Amino acid sequence: TNSGIDSARQSPPFPRLNGDMALFRALLLLSATAAGVHSFCPGPSSLPSSLARPSSLSPHSPPLHSLPTAGRPKGGIRLRMAAGGDGEEQEPGGLGAGGKFRREFLRDALLLGACGCGACLLPAQADALAQIRPPPREALEAFDLPRDKFLDASFACGMFTGMGDYEQEAAPRKAKLFRELLSSLPRKDPVVAEVGIGSFPNARFFNVREAPRGMDIVGIDPNDSMSGYAYENARRAKLTGKGGKGGPNSLRIVHGVSEALPLEDASCDAVVVSLTFCSVLDPEKSIAEVKRVLKPGGKFLFWEHVLSERDPSVAKRQIALTPNQVKRADGCHLDRRTGEVIKAAGFSSVDIDSFDLTEQGFLNPTVAGIATL
């Protein structure tokens, strides 16, 4: 019910004390087992194609009780596959996979917890073109801060399953923007880095007729729990292997932060950043890194929610809600002026658009476009 969603969104941030965290983990695991894993998330290796999740439970969104009426779901909860999946409406009750599914989920959870990276659950990747290099130690110490693996796993699960409605509304504009980007790249073996790749909801926009042949896609994210979901979305989009429209592409997901990218100078034909600069520690440093790794004439595709400049009352609420949003959504700020930062960064040209997504509450307005180095 909607009241249940409101209650979930009004809950306090995850506890941080050791005792509370241990109790929280135990209760979450017990609840997942007892409820048939209705309230937790399986790893991609055990995710049935028919599994549906409530798309309104996005951890990236502000608390539902604080959204304008237009941003609230109407009637009952609609169930939809996560972005990058099949996209069809699902009927409630599609979670009755029984004990076998629960056992597979718990097995995968234990595997992920034991090794911390989930590499054992991922497919082998194609040969790569771009070289990965370690960033300077001082940059890593300043920006690649320690993370809680359990919270990272929970957030990655939420982003994979909970952003379907957002991605559905954004898809027409995103598709047009990606077609413009991909048609401008070298027609063979371009290197494309996506910074803050997350669960890779943009995978489907790479596999289009305009795509060059043999793209080397490097996904960078500080949350190592995202990689399994990113590879799964790439598989669903038929982006890698023989299914790619532009021929065999390669995809690697590597650990990294936007302020210290693990790539050589002038190594990328394009960089993509989507819903990432809202949560980085230093947006200006991050954009300077984008410029550093781009080749001369390289393209920078961006898509970010920002502070409202048209409605002072909305801006006031975004500023007020930001401290809690930072705590509950992995550093996400509702009050940044990322478009202005990009325009001031010294690109040779910046083609930028600002618009509202009608059902996304305070994740508005959005600035999106392509900058050329």
Side-chain angles (χ1 to χ4, degrees), residues 17 31 47 51 85 135 156 162 187 222 228 302 314 333 366:
L17 297 177
S31 298
L47 186 67
L51 180 64
R187 303 322 298 160
F302 55 90
V314 171
H333 293 70
T366 296

Side-chain angles (χ1 to χ4, degrees), residues 3-339:
S3 61
I5 297 174
D6 285 335
S7 176
R9 289 182 183 268
Q10 293 181 54
S11 60
F14 288 116
R16 295 187 179 276
L17 297 177
N18 291 338
D20 288 345
M21 181 58 72
L23 177 61
F24 174 77
R25 292 178 181 180
L27 289 174
L28 183 59
L29 186 59
L30 287 172
S31 298
T33 305
V37 203
H38 284 216
S39 55
F40 200 63
C41 184
S45 68
S46 60
L47 186 67
S49 61
S50 61
L51 180 64
R53 298 289 293 170
S55 60
S56 50
L57 292 178
S58 165
H60 199 75
S61 303
L64 188 62
H65 66 86
S66 68
L67 294 176
T69 303
R72 296 180 183 233
K74 299 175 178 63
I77 298 175
R78 288 187 302 149
L79 301 181
R80 186 186 303 278
M81 277 299 295
D86 299 329
E88 72 270 14
E89 296 290 340
Q90 303 287 337
E91 293 297 326
L95 294 170
K100 181 176 183 293
F101 174 71
R102 286 194 292 273
R103 286 193 298 273
E104 290 176 350
F105 159 61
L106 293 174
R107 177 205 65 199
D108 288 356
L110 289 171
L111 284 171
L112 285 167
C115 68
C117 69
C120 48
L121 304 179
L122 303 180
Q125 294 304 296
D127 291 337
L129 301 174
Q131 295 298 311
I132 305 301
R133 67 149 208 189
R137 179 182 297 274
E138 59 272 17
L140 292 178
E141 291 175 350
F143 298 109
D144 196 1
L145 305 180
R147 301 180 65 89
D148 186 302
K149 289 184 178 180
F150 182 76
L151 296 184
D152 275 0
S154 300
F155 188 74
C157 166
M159 293 302 289
F160 180 69
T161 60
M163 292 291 284
D165 281 357
Y166 181 95
E167 293 296 339
Q168 182 183 26
E169 186 175 355
R173 288 180 180 269
K174 275 192 174 184
K176 181 179 178 181
L177 200 59
F178 272 86
R179 286 195 299 268
E180 180 181 347
L181 172 73
L182 295 172
S183 64
S184 72
L185 298 182
R187 303 322 298 160
K188 186 177 179 182
D189 298 338
V191 176
V192 182
E194 178 154 355
V195 180
I197 193 170
S199 62
F200 202 14
N202 293 326
R204 54 180 165 163
F205 303 119
F206 281 87
N207 192 16
V208 293
R209 181 174 52 82
E210 292 84 357
R213 179 176 179 80
M215 289 182 289
D216 177 27
I217 303 169
V218 182
I220 301 165
D221 205 284
N223 183 343
D224 297 331
S225 294
M226 292 286 190
S227 61
Y229 301 116
Y231 284 118
E232 173 64 11
N233 271 332
R235 183 194 66 80
R236 292 179 180 184
K238 297 182 173 65
L239 179 58
T240 54
K242 295 181 180 180
K245 292 280 198 307
N249 304 303
S250 73
L251 170 65
R252 289 169 292 162
I253 312 297
V254 299
H255 178 92
V257 292
S258 59
E259 298 90 349
L261 296 177
L263 294 166
E264 299 286 351
D265 295 357
S267 59
C268 297
D269 296 284
V271 174
V272 174
V273 179
S274 175
L275 297 181
T276 294
F277 287 153
C278 61
S279 58
V280 302
L281 294 178
D282 189 333
E284 287 82 3
K285 173 64 174 172
S286 300
I287 295 172
E289 279 290 277
V290 169
K291 293 179 64 181
R292 178 183 68 79
V293 303
L294 278 175
K295 297 176 182 178
K299 304 292 184 177
F300 169 39
L301 185 154
F302 55 90
W303 177 288
E304 297 289 336
H305 67 83
V306 294
L307 181 71
S308 176
E309 303 288 352
R310 295 187 288 270
D311 190 332
S313 64
V314 171
K316 183 176 180 179
R317 289 288 289 152
Q318 287 175 309
I319 293 169
L321 288 168
T322 289
N324 187 55
Q325 180 77 351
V326 168
K327 293 178 183 178
R328 67 183 294 275
D330 201 18
C332 172
H333 293 70
L334 302 172
D335 60 353
R336 286 189 168 168
R337 294 180 169 90
T338 305

